[in-house]
Amino acid sequence: MSAKELQKELLWETPHIAKEAPEQRAEAEAFCEGYKDFLNKGKTERECVKTAIAMLTGAGYREFDETVSYQPGDKVYWNNRGKALVAATFGTVGPEEGLRMNGAHIDSPRLDLKPNPLFEKGDIAYLKPHYYGGIRKYQWGTVPLAMHGVIGKKNGEIVEITLGENEGEPQFCVTDLLPHLAADQNARKLGEGLKGEELNIIIGSIPYMGEEDEKIKEPVKLMAMKLLNEKYGITEKDFTRAEIEMVPAYKAADIGLDRSLVGAYGQDDRVCAYTALMADMATKSPVHTTLTILADKEEIGSTGNTGLDSSFVLHIVEDICANQNANVRKTLRNSVCLSSDVNAAYDPTFASVYEERNASYINKGCVLTKYTGSRGKSGSNDASAETMTKVINLMDENGVYWQTGELGAVDVGGGGTIAKFVAEMDVDVVDLGVPILSMHAPFELASKLDVYNTYKAFCAFYK
Ligand code: MN
Ligand code: MN
């Protein structure tokens, strides 16, 4: 046997999709048009839930109704407080044979407003944020921001806000120093380039002038509040009843002359949310009942009752089991879950934080992450060989391009996903998702071929 033949038989290397399957480029290109649209429509978890429900109802899903006896192929969804969503397609075998679960998250790092955010300083009106999730604060200065969220009024009415997204709408911004005066700031550690309390968001600079020549203390703040009141009928006190998220105002774009990448805010983890949704919608008559989970609060530890460290998914599994006369414990024990989340794509500019043989790469397909965590795999789910075997074989049998990936080299850092919370329900789970460049930045990059192959992986998993 020649060395080349033996090499082919015994050794393994992940191929570059565009080299091995160039025909996928057009398919990926077309698939990502819908993906970019989803990113533009859903910049908060609430907006993602709304957009997803519109997609699901269009595809024949109905809100779960415990009085209906569901048949194979029936499609339902559960809306958890407008901030998390679960969709299911009933399988031809009962739940006790196991569910095919797939959990992505729809919250992304951002600047949340504090409960008392409005202030004036030096004749400028500002909003004060408290950042949400792991951001690199210095990246958020001089980025055009849009205002998204809800405000509760005294009468209980919830007012929805989206400002800065449509052509011609005003946007908002955090300032940074000019280089000429930045000598002291330049000497700071990068993590303190912009400090948490320096992320003040400009919302106005014109004072309110009364009818007489009256003097009030903060006329610019008053003017900003007047404009908000005219638009939304709110007063300053209403901010205490609000959830307002300041997010990058720009739209998703093609990156590169070859248009091979999508650049956008919030791809972690709406990329897995979109591909999972699309796969569930495309699944017509699955063997196992599917469960597509779009969770909130992953970026702050899956806390709260819309995050996966709560029992809401368990309760949904109980709904399904009650409806199908199945045992919940057996169902969970036999279920498999993909914890669908992004991983760090190898970045040649910052090569030293990766271990090259175990990093994920753009254009090599979806990334299967056996373990996350930090130091000695601390905080990791660490999927079993049996679970890896199941998922890898499924992908191989269905021609899905996939790769493995660690979140950086040993002891460089680390992170976690929803995987460990799913495992707490006694479900086999492994992380799978899309490699991302500049993860958690206001503008993240993903390869269209990887997005498309993640969709293909989910279709193979569900079918
Ligand atoms: Mn994520
Ligand atoms: Mn994240």
Side-chain angles (χ1 to χ4, degrees), residues 29-67:
E29 190 77 40
F31 183 82
C32 284
E33 287 306 301
Y35 171 49
K36 286 185 287 181
D37 193 44
F38 182 79
L39 289 170
N40 293 340
K41 283 181 180 154
K43 288 196 175 177
T44 67
E45 58 283 1
R46 288 175 191 268
E47 290 169 359
C48 284
V49 165
K50 272 199 166 172
T51 307
I53 288 178
M55 289 164 63
L56 290 173
T57 48
Y61 290 71
R62 295 292 171 263
E63 193 147 25
F64 177 79
D65 175 353
E66 60 184 8
T67 66

mmCIF file of all heavy atoms in Angstrom, residues 29-67:
data_model
loop_
_atom_site.group_PDB
_atom_site.id
_atom_site.type_symbol
_atom_site.label_atom_id
_atom_site.label_comp_id
_atom_site.label_asym_id
_atom_site.label_seq_id
_atom_site.Cartn_x
_atom_site.Cartn_y
_atom_site.Cartn_z
ATOM 1 N N GLU A 29 -25.564 30.579 0.388
ATOM 2 C CA GLU A 29 -25.851 31.985 0.068
ATOM 3 C C GLU A 29 -27.359 32.243 0.164
ATOM 4 O O GLU A 29 -27.808 33.182 0.821
ATOM 5 C CB GLU A 29 -25.353 32.252 -1.363
ATOM 6 C CG GLU A 29 -25.345 33.687 -1.792
ATOM 7 C CD GLU A 29 -24.179 34.461 -1.194
ATOM 8 O OE1 GLU A 29 -23.047 33.920 -1.113
ATOM 9 O OE2 GLU A 29 -24.427 35.594 -0.794
ATOM 10 N N ALA A 30 -28.131 31.375 -0.454
ATOM 11 C CA ALA A 30 -29.592 31.532 -0.454
ATOM 12 C C ALA A 30 -30.148 31.359 0.957
ATOM 13 O O ALA A 30 -31.001 32.140 1.399
ATOM 14 C CB ALA A 30 -30.222 30.510 -1.405
ATOM 15 N N PHE A 31 -29.654 30.366 1.679
ATOM 16 C CA PHE A 31 -30.146 30.113 3.035
ATOM 17 C C PHE A 31 -29.907 31.330 3.934
ATOM 18 O O PHE A 31 -30.744 31.680 4.767
ATOM 19 C CB PHE A 31 -29.460 28.869 3.617
ATOM 20 C CG PHE A 31 -29.966 28.494 4.982
ATOM 21 C CD1 PHE A 31 -31.137 27.768 5.136
ATOM 22 C CD2 PHE A 31 -29.285 28.899 6.136
ATOM 23 C CE1 PHE A 31 -31.618 27.436 6.392
ATOM 24 C CE2 PHE A 31 -29.761 28.569 7.398
ATOM 25 C CZ PHE A 31 -30.928 27.835 7.525
ATOM 26 N N CYS A 32 -28.769 31.976 3.763
ATOM 27 C CA CYS A 32 -28.393 33.061 4.670
ATOM 28 C C CYS A 32 -29.130 34.372 4.388
ATOM 29 O O CYS A 32 -29.063 35.293 5.199
ATOM 30 C CB CYS A 32 -26.882 33.259 4.668
ATOM 31 S SG CYS A 32 -26.064 31.954 5.618
ATOM 32 N N GLU A 33 -29.836 34.468 3.255
ATOM 33 C CA GLU A 33 -30.668 35.657 3.034
ATOM 34 C C GLU A 33 -31.766 35.707 4.101
ATOM 35 O O GLU A 33 -32.030 36.740 4.697
ATOM 36 C CB GLU A 33 -31.265 35.639 1.620
ATOM 37 C CG GLU A 33 -30.237 35.940 0.523
ATOM 38 C CD GLU A 33 -29.492 37.249 0.758
ATOM 39 O OE1 GLU A 33 -30.137 38.309 0.840
ATOM 40 O OE2 GLU A 33 -28.253 37.193 0.868
ATOM 41 N N GLY A 34 -32.399 34.559 4.347
ATOM 42 C CA GLY A 34 -33.417 34.480 5.397
ATOM 43 C C GLY A 34 -32.820 34.689 6.775
ATOM 44 O O GLY A 34 -33.432 35.303 7.652
ATOM 45 N N TYR A 35 -31.597 34.191 6.935
ATOM 46 C CA TYR A 35 -30.911 34.335 8.224
ATOM 47 C C TYR A 35 -30.643 35.820 8.540
ATOM 48 O O TYR A 35 -30.920 36.302 9.646
ATOM 49 C CB TYR A 35 -29.610 33.524 8.199
ATOM 50 C CG TYR A 35 -28.711 33.766 9.380
ATOM 51 C CD1 TYR A 35 -29.208 33.725 10.689
ATOM 52 C CD2 TYR A 35 -27.345 34.045 9.208
ATOM 53 C CE1 TYR A 35 -28.378 33.951 11.784
ATOM 54 C CE2 TYR A 35 -26.521 34.260 10.290
ATOM 55 C CZ TYR A 35 -27.035 34.221 11.566
ATOM 56 O OH TYR A 35 -26.210 34.448 12.642
ATOM 57 N N LYS A 36 -30.159 36.550 7.561
ATOM 58 C CA LYS A 36 -29.870 37.969 7.787
ATOM 59 C C LYS A 36 -31.160 38.731 8.124
ATOM 60 O O LYS A 36 -31.166 39.609 8.993
ATOM 61 C CB LYS A 36 -29.196 38.580 6.539
ATOM 62 C CG LYS A 36 -27.741 38.153 6.378
ATOM 63 C CD LYS A 36 -27.063 38.867 5.219
ATOM 64 C CE LYS A 36 -27.545 38.346 3.894
ATOM 65 N NZ LYS A 36 -26.906 38.998 2.739
ATOM 66 N N ASP A 37 -32.232 38.357 7.455
ATOM 67 C CA ASP A 37 -33.521 38.977 7.716
ATOM 68 C C ASP A 37 -33.952 38.715 9.170
ATOM 69 O O ASP A 37 -34.437 39.619 9.865
ATOM 70 C CB ASP A 37 -34.538 38.388 6.722
ATOM 71 C CG ASP A 37 -35.816 39.188 6.698
ATOM 72 O OD1 ASP A 37 -35.720 40.425 6.671
ATOM 73 O OD2 ASP A 37 -36.908 38.571 6.726
ATOM 74 N N PHE A 38 -33.758 37.483 9.623
ATOM 75 C CA PHE A 38 -34.088 37.104 11.001
ATOM 76 C C PHE A 38 -33.270 37.936 11.994
ATOM 77 O O PHE A 38 -33.788 38.427 12.999
ATOM 78 C CB PHE A 38 -33.808 35.609 11.192
ATOM 79 C CG PHE A 38 -34.139 35.070 12.565
ATOM 80 C CD1 PHE A 38 -35.454 34.776 12.911
ATOM 81 C CD2 PHE A 38 -33.137 34.846 13.513
ATOM 82 C CE1 PHE A 38 -35.763 34.264 14.177
ATOM 83 C CE2 PHE A 38 -33.434 34.339 14.773
ATOM 84 C CZ PHE A 38 -34.751 34.052 15.104
ATOM 85 N N LEU A 39 -31.973 38.119 11.696
ATOM 86 C CA LEU A 39 -31.106 38.918 12.570
ATOM 87 C C LEU A 39 -31.585 40.364 12.644
ATOM 88 O O LEU A 39 -31.568 40.985 13.715
ATOM 89 C CB LEU A 39 -29.662 38.886 12.059
ATOM 90 C CG LEU A 39 -28.894 37.578 12.217
ATOM 91 C CD1 LEU A 39 -27.578 37.640 11.448
ATOM 92 C CD2 LEU A 39 -28.619 37.284 13.693
ATOM 93 N N ASN A 40 -32.011 40.893 11.507
ATOM 94 C CA ASN A 40 -32.466 42.291 11.484
ATOM 95 C C ASN A 40 -33.786 42.477 12.225
ATOM 96 O O ASN A 40 -34.036 43.519 12.815
ATOM 97 C CB ASN A 40 -32.621 42.779 10.043
ATOM 98 C CG ASN A 40 -31.280 42.868 9.323
ATOM 99 O OD1 ASN A 40 -30.222 42.935 9.962
ATOM 100 N ND2 ASN A 40 -31.317 42.852 8.006
ATOM 101 N N LYS A 41 -34.631 41.447 12.195
ATOM 102 C CA LYS A 41 -35.941 41.551 12.848
ATOM 103 C C LYS A 41 -35.869 41.250 14.335
ATOM 104 O O LYS A 41 -36.712 41.695 15.104
ATOM 105 C CB LYS A 41 -36.923 40.566 12.207
ATOM 106 C CG LYS A 41 -37.451 41.019 10.864
ATOM 107 C CD LYS A 41 -38.433 39.989 10.331
ATOM 108 C CE LYS A 41 -38.987 40.385 8.984
ATOM 109 N NZ LYS A 41 -39.398 39.189 8.213
ATOM 110 N N GLY A 42 -34.886 40.461 14.748
ATOM 111 C CA GLY A 42 -34.821 40.039 16.141
ATOM 112 C C GLY A 42 -33.523 40.456 16.802
ATOM 113 O O GLY A 42 -32.551 39.722 16.798
ATOM 114 N N LYS A 43 -33.511 41.650 17.375
ATOM 115 C CA LYS A 43 -32.291 42.103 18.049
ATOM 116 C C LYS A 43 -32.386 41.967 19.561
ATOM 117 O O LYS A 43 -31.456 42.295 20.284
ATOM 118 C CB LYS A 43 -31.985 43.548 17.659
ATOM 119 C CG LYS A 43 -31.494 43.682 16.225
ATOM 120 C CD LYS A 43 -30.835 45.026 16.004
ATOM 121 C CE LYS A 43 -30.245 45.102 14.605
ATOM 122 N NZ LYS A 43 -29.657 46.437 14.358
ATOM 123 N N THR A 44 -33.555 41.521 20.048
ATOM 124 C CA THR A 44 -33.712 41.218 21.471
ATOM 125 C C THR A 44 -34.400 39.858 21.568
ATOM 126 O O THR A 44 -34.955 39.364 20.582
ATOM 127 C CB THR A 44 -34.601 42.253 22.184
ATOM 128 O OG1 THR A 44 -35.932 42.135 21.675
ATOM 129 C CG2 THR A 44 -34.092 43.671 21.978
ATOM 130 N N GLU A 45 -34.393 39.269 22.748
ATOM 131 C CA GLU A 45 -35.056 37.973 22.924
ATOM 132 C C GLU A 45 -36.553 38.095 22.640
ATOM 133 O O GLU A 45 -37.152 37.213 22.018
ATOM 134 C CB GLU A 45 -34.783 37.395 24.320
ATOM 135 C CG GLU A 45 -35.200 38.243 25.528
ATOM 136 C CD GLU A 45 -34.247 39.394 25.807
ATOM 137 O OE1 GLU A 45 -33.264 39.557 25.066
ATOM 138 O OE2 GLU A 45 -34.499 40.153 26.761
ATOM 139 N N ARG A 46 -37.158 39.217 23.071
ATOM 140 C CA ARG A 46 -38.592 39.397 22.816
ATOM 141 C C ARG A 46 -38.888 39.465 21.320
ATOM 142 O O ARG A 46 -39.850 38.865 20.835
ATOM 143 C CB ARG A 46 -39.097 40.690 23.485
ATOM 144 C CG ARG A 46 -39.190 40.610 25.004
ATOM 145 C CD ARG A 46 -39.575 41.978 25.563
ATOM 146 N NE ARG A 46 -39.441 42.032 27.011
ATOM 147 C CZ ARG A 46 -40.428 41.756 27.870
ATOM 148 N NH1 ARG A 46 -41.613 41.405 27.418
ATOM 149 N NH2 ARG A 46 -40.215 41.838 29.172
ATOM 150 N N GLU A 47 -38.058 40.210 20.591
ATOM 151 C CA GLU A 47 -38.280 40.333 19.148
ATOM 152 C C GLU A 47 -38.057 38.991 18.445
ATOM 153 O O GLU A 47 -38.744 38.663 17.480
ATOM 154 C CB GLU A 47 -37.361 41.413 18.561
ATOM 155 C CG GLU A 47 -37.747 42.815 18.990
ATOM 156 C CD GLU A 47 -36.708 43.873 18.657
ATOM 157 O OE1 GLU A 47 -35.646 43.518 18.096
ATOM 158 O OE2 GLU A 47 -36.953 45.052 18.972
ATOM 159 N N CYS A 48 -37.079 38.217 18.945
ATOM 160 C CA CYS A 48 -36.838 36.889 18.354
ATOM 161 C C CYS A 48 -38.053 35.982 18.567
ATOM 162 O O CYS A 48 -38.428 35.231 17.659
ATOM 163 C CB CYS A 48 -35.599 36.240 18.961
ATOM 164 S SG CYS A 48 -34.067 36.923 18.332
ATOM 165 N N VAL A 49 -38.653 36.052 19.760
ATOM 166 C CA VAL A 49 -39.828 35.216 20.025
ATOM 167 C C VAL A 49 -40.959 35.605 19.071
ATOM 168 O O VAL A 49 -41.600 34.748 18.451
ATOM 169 C CB VAL A 49 -40.284 35.342 21.498
ATOM 170 C CG1 VAL A 49 -41.683 34.779 21.692
ATOM 171 C CG2 VAL A 49 -39.293 34.628 22.410
ATOM 172 N N LYS A 50 -41.184 36.910 18.924
ATOM 173 C CA LYS A 50 -42.249 37.382 18.015
ATOM 174 C C LYS A 50 -42.010 36.928 16.583
ATOM 175 O O LYS A 50 -42.915 36.431 15.904
ATOM 176 C CB LYS A 50 -42.283 38.919 18.030
ATOM 177 C CG LYS A 50 -43.154 39.479 19.105
ATOM 178 C CD LYS A 50 -43.495 40.915 18.776
ATOM 179 C CE LYS A 50 -44.632 41.369 19.664
ATOM 180 N NZ LYS A 50 -44.881 42.791 19.527
ATOM 181 N N THR A 51 -40.770 37.126 16.124
ATOM 182 C CA THR A 51 -40.433 36.749 14.752
ATOM 183 C C THR A 51 -40.596 35.245 14.566
ATOM 184 O O THR A 51 -41.132 34.783 13.562
ATOM 185 C CB THR A 51 -38.975 37.166 14.442
ATOM 186 O OG1 THR A 51 -38.838 38.552 14.757
ATOM 187 C CG2 THR A 51 -38.619 36.946 12.993
ATOM 188 N N ALA A 52 -40.141 34.482 15.565
ATOM 189 C CA ALA A 52 -40.217 33.026 15.474
ATOM 190 C C ALA A 52 -41.668 32.553 15.456
ATOM 191 O O ALA A 52 -42.025 31.661 14.680
ATOM 192 C CB ALA A 52 -39.459 32.392 16.645
ATOM 193 N N ILE A 53 -42.523 33.165 16.286
ATOM 194 C CA ILE A 53 -43.931 32.748 16.320
ATOM 195 C C ILE A 53 -44.592 33.023 14.961
ATOM 196 O O ILE A 53 -45.371 32.203 14.458
ATOM 197 C CB ILE A 53 -44.689 33.445 17.477
ATOM 198 C CG1 ILE A 53 -44.241 32.838 18.813
ATOM 199 C CG2 ILE A 53 -46.208 33.298 17.310
ATOM 200 C CD1 ILE A 53 -44.878 33.459 20.036
ATOM 201 N N ALA A 54 -44.239 34.140 14.356
ATOM 202 C CA ALA A 54 -44.795 34.441 13.025
ATOM 203 C C ALA A 54 -44.355 33.369 12.022
ATOM 204 O O ALA A 54 -45.151 32.894 11.209
ATOM 205 C CB ALA A 54 -44.348 35.829 12.569
ATOM 206 N N MET A 55 -43.081 32.971 12.097
ATOM 207 C CA MET A 55 -42.580 31.929 11.189
ATOM 208 C C MET A 55 -43.299 30.602 11.456
ATOM 209 O O MET A 55 -43.712 29.899 10.532
ATOM 210 C CB MET A 55 -41.068 31.730 11.397
ATOM 211 C CG MET A 55 -40.199 32.882 10.889
ATOM 212 S SD MET A 55 -38.502 32.828 11.552
ATOM 213 C CE MET A 55 -37.882 31.294 10.888
ATOM 214 N N LEU A 56 -43.437 30.267 12.747
ATOM 215 C CA LEU A 56 -44.023 28.968 13.120
ATOM 216 C C LEU A 56 -45.495 28.888 12.740
ATOM 217 O O LEU A 56 -45.945 27.881 12.181
ATOM 218 C CB LEU A 56 -43.849 28.728 14.626
ATOM 219 C CG LEU A 56 -42.421 28.470 15.112
ATOM 220 C CD1 LEU A 56 -42.377 28.416 16.633
ATOM 221 C CD2 LEU A 56 -41.866 27.167 14.530
ATOM 222 N N THR A 57 -46.259 29.935 13.036
ATOM 223 C CA THR A 57 -47.692 29.878 12.713
ATOM 224 C C THR A 57 -47.876 29.806 11.205
ATOM 225 O O THR A 57 -48.767 29.109 10.714
ATOM 226 C CB THR A 57 -48.470 31.069 13.313
ATOM 227 O OG1 THR A 57 -47.766 32.263 12.995
ATOM 228 C CG2 THR A 57 -48.585 30.975 14.818
ATOM 229 N N GLY A 58 -46.996 30.491 10.470
ATOM 230 C CA GLY A 58 -47.035 30.400 9.009
ATOM 231 C C GLY A 58 -46.779 28.987 8.518
ATOM 232 O O GLY A 58 -47.219 28.593 7.435
ATOM 233 N N ALA A 59 -46.045 28.204 9.321
ATOM 234 C CA ALA A 59 -45.708 26.829 8.934
ATOM 235 C C ALA A 59 -46.655 25.812 9.589
ATOM 236 O O ALA A 59 -46.367 24.618 9.601
ATOM 237 C CB ALA A 59 -44.260 26.527 9.313
ATOM 238 N N GLY A 60 -47.753 26.290 10.166
ATOM 239 C CA GLY A 60 -48.769 25.366 10.670
ATOM 240 C C GLY A 60 -48.653 25.003 12.144
ATOM 241 O O GLY A 60 -49.376 24.137 12.630
ATOM 242 N N TYR A 61 -47.766 25.639 12.882
ATOM 243 C CA TYR A 61 -47.665 25.378 14.322
ATOM 244 C C TYR A 61 -48.802 26.112 15.045
ATOM 245 O O TYR A 61 -49.189 27.208 14.647
ATOM 246 C CB TYR A 61 -46.332 25.879 14.884
ATOM 247 C CG TYR A 61 -45.109 25.106 14.449
ATOM 248 C CD1 TYR A 61 -44.635 25.181 13.138
ATOM 249 C CD2 TYR A 61 -44.409 24.314 15.351
ATOM 250 C CE1 TYR A 61 -43.512 24.486 12.741
ATOM 251 C CE2 TYR A 61 -43.271 23.609 14.962
ATOM 252 C CZ TYR A 61 -42.828 23.705 13.653
ATOM 253 O OH TYR A 61 -41.719 23.015 13.267
ATOM 254 N N ARG A 62 -49.309 25.508 16.110
ATOM 255 C CA ARG A 62 -50.329 26.155 16.936
ATOM 256 C C ARG A 62 -49.876 26.100 18.387
ATOM 257 O O ARG A 62 -49.127 25.205 18.779
ATOM 258 C CB ARG A 62 -51.675 25.425 16.809
ATOM 259 C CG ARG A 62 -52.285 25.491 15.408
ATOM 260 C CD ARG A 62 -52.746 26.932 15.047
ATOM 261 N NE ARG A 62 -53.148 27.057 13.646
ATOM 262 C CZ ARG A 62 -52.359 27.520 12.662
ATOM 263 N NH1 ARG A 62 -51.124 27.903 12.919
ATOM 264 N NH2 ARG A 62 -52.806 27.603 11.427
ATOM 265 N N GLU A 63 -50.347 27.041 19.189
ATOM 266 C CA GLU A 63 -49.974 27.050 20.600
ATOM 267 C C GLU A 63 -50.454 25.747 21.250
ATOM 268 O O GLU A 63 -51.579 25.298 20.998
ATOM 269 C CB GLU A 63 -50.580 28.265 21.298
ATOM 270 C CG GLU A 63 -49.980 28.488 22.670
ATOM 271 C CD GLU A 63 -49.895 29.974 23.054
ATOM 272 O OE1 GLU A 63 -50.687 30.786 22.534
ATOM 273 O OE2 GLU A 63 -49.034 30.297 23.900
ATOM 274 N N PHE A 64 -49.603 25.139 22.071
ATOM 275 C CA PHE A 64 -49.929 23.856 22.690
ATOM 276 C C PHE A 64 -51.236 23.957 23.470
ATOM 277 O O PHE A 64 -51.447 24.899 24.234
ATOM 278 C CB PHE A 64 -48.797 23.408 23.623
ATOM 279 C CG PHE A 64 -49.087 22.133 24.354
ATOM 280 C CD1 PHE A 64 -48.940 20.904 23.717
ATOM 281 C CD2 PHE A 64 -49.522 22.148 25.677
ATOM 282 C CE1 PHE A 64 -49.215 19.718 24.382
ATOM 283 C CE2 PHE A 64 -49.793 20.967 26.353
ATOM 284 C CZ PHE A 64 -49.635 19.745 25.706
ATOM 285 N N ASP A 65 -52.115 22.969 23.294
ATOM 286 C CA ASP A 65 -53.413 22.937 23.957
ATOM 287 C C ASP A 65 -53.571 21.549 24.566
ATOM 288 O O ASP A 65 -53.652 20.546 23.856
ATOM 289 C CB ASP A 65 -54.500 23.214 22.906
ATOM 290 C CG ASP A 65 -55.916 23.093 23.481
ATOM 291 O OD1 ASP A 65 -56.064 22.665 24.649
ATOM 292 O OD2 ASP A 65 -56.857 23.422 22.746
ATOM 293 N N GLU A 66 -53.594 21.485 25.891
ATOM 294 C CA GLU A 66 -53.574 20.168 26.551
ATOM 295 C C GLU A 66 -54.836 19.346 26.271
ATOM 296 O O GLU A 66 -54.842 18.134 26.489
ATOM 297 C CB GLU A 66 -53.357 20.327 28.059
ATOM 298 C CG GLU A 66 -54.436 21.147 28.738
ATOM 299 C CD GLU A 66 -54.154 21.384 30.222
ATOM 300 O OE1 GLU A 66 -53.052 21.051 30.687
ATOM 301 O OE2 GLU A 66 -55.062 21.903 30.888
ATOM 302 N N THR A 67 -55.895 19.986 25.759
ATOM 303 C CA THR A 67 -57.124 19.234 25.487
ATOM 304 C C THR A 67 -57.093 18.530 24.122
ATOM 305 O O THR A 67 -57.955 17.714 23.820
ATOM 306 C CB THR A 67 -58.357 20.162 25.525
ATOM 307 O OG1 THR A 67 -58.253 21.090 24.433
ATOM 308 C CG2 THR A 67 -58.450 20.917 26.838
#
